[in-house]
Amino acid sequence: RTSANAIYVAPSLQSQIDMMSGVLHCEEGDYDTAHSYFLEAFEQLDQLDDREKAVPCLKYMMLCKILDGLNKALGISAATGVAGIRSDHKNEADISGMITGKRGVKYAGRNVDAMSSIAAAASKRSLKEYEAVLTEYSHELQDDLLIKHHLSTLQEQLLESNLIRIIEPYSCVEIEHVASLIEMPLPVVEKKLSQMILDGKFHGILDQGKGQLIVYEEADQDQAMEKGLKVIENMDKVVTSLFGRSQALRSMMV
């Protein structure tokens, strides 16, 4: 794309380059930058009146807005993927401007309706509504590999955030009760809780004999141990550096 900026590139080719750049940033989790690339591609495709390519690009723009808004609302770290509910951010994905504007009306249809319904379900954090949308708009949402992949990630984030919100008040809770509150099968909830414990999303254990989840409070970090590890790490660097210099001196003497 950098090389393309230095020379003239046909709008159709430039739109493809911008779209691929958006896909790469989307895969890296940088949804804000990905949206800007998709927007540039969409504007060029709109000028070319290429509806077939413009509609998927508009869907990608809406997808980026939904994912970026949800990540900020849940406080999800791009590095760790750990979710923590934030109350200082709007949950609703801001895609109203895309669907009510002149271009949104121009490309209105089931594809736009599908993404609007996903945004509404994500803003409510409703897994039941989310799954209903996936069923109703299966063709529009599942046929595109990029959207299918990221909607699967979105579903996992919604499930984890809902589970964390349910178990937060408890130190010990029956897994069956959690499954009834989230309206999902017991084996699915049990498997997901086990995965979240292994991934460090929260501290706890599953007592399968009693069918209970025991949640531990997060322990305070041992500052002395952390500083001790840093000292050892720095000493290791010093010894490695001294060994390298001694090797260099030996080679010079020989």
Side-chain angles (χ1 to χ4, degrees), residues 80-210:
T80 63
V82 176
I85 306 299
R86 287 176 54 182
S87 58
D88 61 340
H89 194 280
K90 283 184 68 179
N91 296 336
E92 190 174 356
D94 185 18
I95 64 168
S96 57
M98 297 184 191
I99 58 179
T100 57
K102 181 179 177 181
R103 288 172 179 167
V105 173
K106 178 180 177 181
Y107 296 100
R110 282 186 60 84
N111 286 290
V112 174
D113 292 342
M115 297 307 297
S116 300
S117 300
I118 287 291
S123 66
K124 296 175 185 175
R125 314 254 182 88
S126 173
L127 276 170
K128 193 172 183 179
E129 185 176 335
Y130 182 87
E131 290 172 354
V133 173
L134 289 180
T135 303
E136 183 180 354
Y137 297 98
S138 59
H139 174 69
E140 289 79 11
L141 299 174
Q142 301 295 327
D143 288 357
D144 191 301
L145 292 179
L146 180 68
I147 292 178
K148 182 179 179 180
H149 168 67
H150 285 283
L151 287 184
S152 175
T153 304
L154 175 61
Q155 188 172 13
E156 290 296 311
Q157 291 175 356
L158 287 173
L159 176 57
E160 289 180 5
S161 67
N162 279 321
L163 285 173
I164 289 173
R165 186 165 53 182
I166 289 171
I167 67 176
E168 190 174 13
Y170 300 100
S171 58
C172 182
V173 60
E174 291 187 358
I175 304 172
E176 188 175 351
H177 178 61
V178 176
S180 65
L181 290 176
I182 204 169
E183 298 181 349
M184 294 190 70
L186 179 62
V188 174
V189 173
E190 190 173 353
K191 182 180 179 181
K192 188 60 184 178
L193 288 172
S194 176
Q195 180 185 340
M196 290 172 68
I197 292 171
L198 292 174
D199 291 343
K201 302 292 175 73
F202 67 91
H203 300 286
I205 59 171
L206 289 173
D207 188 339
Q208 292 183 322
K210 296 181 179 179

Side-chain angles (χ1 to χ4, degrees), residues 180-249:
S180 65
L181 290 176
I182 204 169
E183 298 181 349
M184 294 190 70
L186 179 62
V188 174
V189 173
E190 190 173 353
K191 182 180 179 181
K192 188 60 184 178
L193 288 172
S194 176
Q195 180 185 340
M196 290 172 68
I197 292 171
L198 292 174
D199 291 343
K201 302 292 175 73
F202 67 91
H203 300 286
I205 59 171
L206 289 173
D207 188 339
Q208 292 183 322
K210 296 181 179 179
Q212 294 177 341
L213 169 69
I214 301 172
V215 184
Y216 300 133
E217 292 184 5
E218 292 190 11
D220 295 333
Q221 294 182 344
D222 190 344
Q223 297 294 330
M225 182 177 179
E226 285 189 5
K227 291 180 179 179
L229 290 172
K230 285 183 180 180
V231 170
I232 294 172
E233 183 183 351
N234 291 331
M235 287 295 295
D236 179 62
K237 290 179 181 178
V238 171
V239 172
T240 304
S241 177
L242 290 173
F243 180 75
R245 292 184 181 183
S246 66
Q247 290 290 94
L249 287 172

Side-chain angles (χ1 to χ4, degrees), residues 22-48:
V23 170
L24 291 174
H25 281 282
C26 198
E27 289 299 315
E28 292 173 357
D30 188 358
Y31 300 118
D32 192 42
T33 304
H35 175 267
S36 65
Y37 279 118
F38 287 135
L39 177 59
E40 290 183 22
F42 176 74
E43 288 178 344
Q44 294 177 74
L45 292 168
D46 181 57
Q47 291 178 357
L48 294 170

